[in-house]
């Protein structure tokens, strides 16, 4: 009973904000960076001397995604591509996340300089992707998806494009949501047959032990359901509405001066002096339905498809309950490497171990006690702590015979 006034107060506050910023929020929906002339290649990769091209990939359900291609490093002598490797970003991030530090510290550059043919994915809704063949970002239907569709459509389309272009199986690297997508997609034969081996940074399939103060408060407030009820289907934390929502969750309940730590947990080796630079690119938008799906996982302790409720589940799945993803369906012939940290408030150690236990094969593991969720992609020490081991793992699998 004590939580009812807090929920009512929160609802009234959001409704008040909705009335104040509706016009500016709608205007923000229509703004996007023009990827063809101002994309990841032009802004982050070519200026540092690396070759890079932009590619458009259409999904089965009509979204047009951007994929960047870095065929070799800036000091390559033969100008010849090595084996293809695909990088998939996490939630509220885009392909830029792999290039945000210096060329000596960023995984995307390090892989290119190590002889890999680097391909970078960007899911629907991010600043870098190109929209939809018929839908506008102002349409509710444009945002009617969760990570389930990202695995089923986006990942399949992008991996398929790289596979057909290179005529080779692909090394896969995912971080955070990029691991949820992968673990779900790898249960599907049409995806996993194109993968040579996979490295998962901060792997997530279960969220039972999540300890993020910010996320747990948002779950307790039923923020996801509230936003869907009042018609907010895009989550854009760069908009006025998004910023006000963040402030409302924090207000009086936690210190959000370090919002990153409140959401992800403490990060040991993140360069705080570069935050303003990172904020030029991130966070990227996502859908409220995606947040709703993740919060369902927290509430139910399952790694399952989106729960529409009994009636709509029957229509969508032919079952009353949303079907679970069965990790034992991932072939034991697929080599997997996982990196995870002791201070990660999102990919908790207990949940990672549950994931490991449900796989048919035993993955290679790298555990770093002091590392948090963001350290695995933005730590200034990650080249020595993480990336060397990741590259050693891929090379130990034997590069495809054509290389």
């Amino acid at each position: 009973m004590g939580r009812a006034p807090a929920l009512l107060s929160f609802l009234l506050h959001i409704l008040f904000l909705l009335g104040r910023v509706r016009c500016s929020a709608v205007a923000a929906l229509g703004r996007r960076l023009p990827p063809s002339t101002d994309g990841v290649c032009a802004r982050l990769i070519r200026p540092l001397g690396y070759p890079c091209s932009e590619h458009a990939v259409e999904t089965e359900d009509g979204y047009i995604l951007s994929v960047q291609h870095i065929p070799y490093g800036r000091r390559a002598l033969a100008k010849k591509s090595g084996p293809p490797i695909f990088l998939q970003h996490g939630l509220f991030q885009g392909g830029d996340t792999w290039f945000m530090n210096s060329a000596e510290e960023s995984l995307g550059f390090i892989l290119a300089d190590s002889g890999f043919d680097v391909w970078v994915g960007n899911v629907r809704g991010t600043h870098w992707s190109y929209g939809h063949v018929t839908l506008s970002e102002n349409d509710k239907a444009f945002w009617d998806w969760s990570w389930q569709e990202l695995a089923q459509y986006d990942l399949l389309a992008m991996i398929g494009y790289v596979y057909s272009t290179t005529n080779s199986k692909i090394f896969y690297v995912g971080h955070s949501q990029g691991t949820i997508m992968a673990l779900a997609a790898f249960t599907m034969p049409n995806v996993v047959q194109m993968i040579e081996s996979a490295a998962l940074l901060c792997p997530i399939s279960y969220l039972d032990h999540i300890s993020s103060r910010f996320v747990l408060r948002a779950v307790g407030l039923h923020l996801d359901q509230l936003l869907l009820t009042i018609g907010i289907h895009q989550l854009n934390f760069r908009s006025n509405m998004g910023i006000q929502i963040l402030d409302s969750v924090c207000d009086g309940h936690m210190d959000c001066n370090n919002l990153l730590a409140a959401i992800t947990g403490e990060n040991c080796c993140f360069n705080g002096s570069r935050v303003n630079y990172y904020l030029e690119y991130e966070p990227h938008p996502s859908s409220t339905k995606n947040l709703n799906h993740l919060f369902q996982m927290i509430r139910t302790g399952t790694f399952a498809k989106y729960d529409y409720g009994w009636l709509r589940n029957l229509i969508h799945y032919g079952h009353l309950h949303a079907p679970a993803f069965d990790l034992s369906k991932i072939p034991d012939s697929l080599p997997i490497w996982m990196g995870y940290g002791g201070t990660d408030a999102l990919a908790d150690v207990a949940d990672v171990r549950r994931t490991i236990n449900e796989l048919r094969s035993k993955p290679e593991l790298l555990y770093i006690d002091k590392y948090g969720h963001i350290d695995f992609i933005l730590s200034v020490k990650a080249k020595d702590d993480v990336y060397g081991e990741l590259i050693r793992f891929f090379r130990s699998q034997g590069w495809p015979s054509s290389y």
Side-chain angles (χ1 to χ4, degrees):
M1 294 292 292
R3 293 171 60 186
L7 289 171
L8 178 60
S9 174
F10 185 75
L11 172 61
L12 292 173
H13 186 57
I14 292 296
L15 288 172
F16 172 69
L17 294 174
L18 183 63
R20 288 180 58 196
V21 305
R22 172 68 74 180
C23 293
S24 60
V26 169
L29 291 177
R31 294 198 300 267
R32 64 185 308 128
L33 296 172
S36 60
T37 58
D38 193 27
V40 176
C41 287
R43 297 189 66 175
L44 290 168
I45 300 174
R46 290 197 207 106
L48 293 187
Y50 291 80
C52 187
S53 56
E54 300 275 356
H55 300 252
V57 178
E58 184 176 334
T59 67
E60 184 182 330
D61 57 346
Y63 290 86
I64 305 174
L65 314 176
S66 79
V67 172
Q68 288 76 43
H69 180 211
I70 305 96
Y72 44 79
R74 60 182 171 181
R75 297 185 181 89
L77 297 177
K79 309 298 183 186
K80 180 179 182 297
S81 296
I85 191 165
F86 183 84
L87 308 182
Q88 184 53 58
H89 63 77
L91 179 64
F92 299 124
Q93 296 177 319
D96 49 77
T97 198
W98 306 106
F99 306 97
M100 297 291 275
N101 284 336
S102 70
E104 292 71 34
E105 295 171 338
S106 299
L107 181 57
F109 294 126
I110 290 169
L111 289 170
D113 287 331
S114 298
F116 292 90
D117 180 19
V118 180
W119 297 79
V120 181
N122 298 268
V123 301
R124 62 188 68 188
T126 57
H127 296 309
W128 308 119
S129 282
Y130 299 85
H132 191 276
V133 293
T134 59
L135 298 171
S136 160
E137 290 185 359
N138 295 322
D139 296 328
K140 172 184 173 181
F142 183 93
W143 301 100
D144 186 18
W145 50 266
S146 77
W147 60 259
Q148 179 178 325
E149 284 73 27
L150 302 185
Q152 182 178 354
Y153 298 117
D154 290 26
L155 200 56
L156 173 61
M158 293 186 290
I159 291 291
Y161 179 81
V162 175
Y163 181 79
S164 62
T165 301
T166 62
N167 195 32
S168 173
K169 281 192 167 187
I170 299 157
F171 294 129
Y172 181 92
V173 180
H175 173 252
S176 191
Q177 180 181 260
T179 71
I180 304 177
M181 293 165 57
L183 289 167
F186 292 168
T187 67
M188 308 171 192
N190 58 340
V191 176
V192 75
Q193 67 184 2
M194 297 184 284
I195 305 298
E196 184 77 23
S197 55
L200 307 180
L201 301 171
C202 310
I204 294 175
S205 61
Y206 294 101
L207 292 168
D208 297 38
H209 296 86
I210 191 169
S211 58
S212 164
R213 292 170 292 143
F214 183 93
V215 172
L216 290 175
R217 173 159 166 76
V219 171
L221 289 168
H222 296 273
L223 176 64
D224 52 328
Q225 296 158 335
L226 172 62
L227 295 177
L228 288 173
T229 299
I230 62 178
I232 299 176
H233 298 282
Q234 185 206 86
L235 276 181
N236 181 3
F237 292 123
R238 298 172 75 89
S239 69
N240 292 335
M241 169 63 78
I243 293 169
Q244 294 284 1
I245 289 172
L246 291 174
D247 288 343
S248 298
V249 174
C250 292
D251 191 30
H253 293 273
M254 67 188 76
D255 180 9
C256 285
N257 288 323
N258 186 351
L259 183 60
L260 185 65
I263 296 173
T264 70
E266 294 295 333
N267 296 279
C268 73
C269 310
F270 172 79
N271 186 353
S273 67
R274 291 180 63 83
V275 167
N276 288 337
Y277 175 74
Y278 299 148
L279 289 176
E280 291 180 22
Y281 298 94
E282 298 179 349
H284 289 255
S286 188
S287 72
T288 307
K289 183 178 179 180
N290 193 24
L291 188 74
N292 183 214
H293 194 175
L294 292 166
F295 283 14
Q296 287 178 0
M297 295 166 63
I298 296 171
R299 294 181 182 116
T300 62
T302 59
F303 180 41
K305 295 185 177 182
Y306 186 82
D307 188 351
Y308 290 95
W310 285 1
L311 180 58
R312 293 182 66 195
N313 282 342
L314 278 172
I315 297 170
H316 281 270
Y317 310 124
H319 303 281
L320 289 174
H321 302 285
F325 286 98
D326 184 357
L327 292 173
S328 70
K329 289 185 176 180
I330 298 176
D332 55 10
S333 58
L334 177 68
I336 297 176
W337 179 96
M338 292 182 175
Y340 61 111
T343 65
D344 193 331
L346 299 175
D348 186 87
V349 171
D351 292 328
V352 173
R353 288 173 179 161
R354 181 178 176 186
T355 300
I356 293 167
N357 290 337
E358 292 190 11
L359 293 170
R360 289 166 59 185
S361 61
K362 183 173 176 56
E364 289 194 32
L365 302 174
L366 174 66
Y367 172 76
I368 304 177
D369 188 62
K370 65 181 180 179
Y371 261 45
H373 200 73
I374 300 300
D375 285 320
F376 283 89
I377 51 171
L378 292 178
S379 166
V380 296
K381 300 179 179 180
K383 180 177 181 179
D384 295 327
D385 293 343
V386 181
Y387 303 154
E389 287 299 307
L390 182 152
I391 291 170
R392 179 204 58 76
F393 163 74
F394 283 131
R395 286 180 168 160
S396 72
Q397 305 307 313
W399 286 16
S401 58
S402 55
Y403 298 95

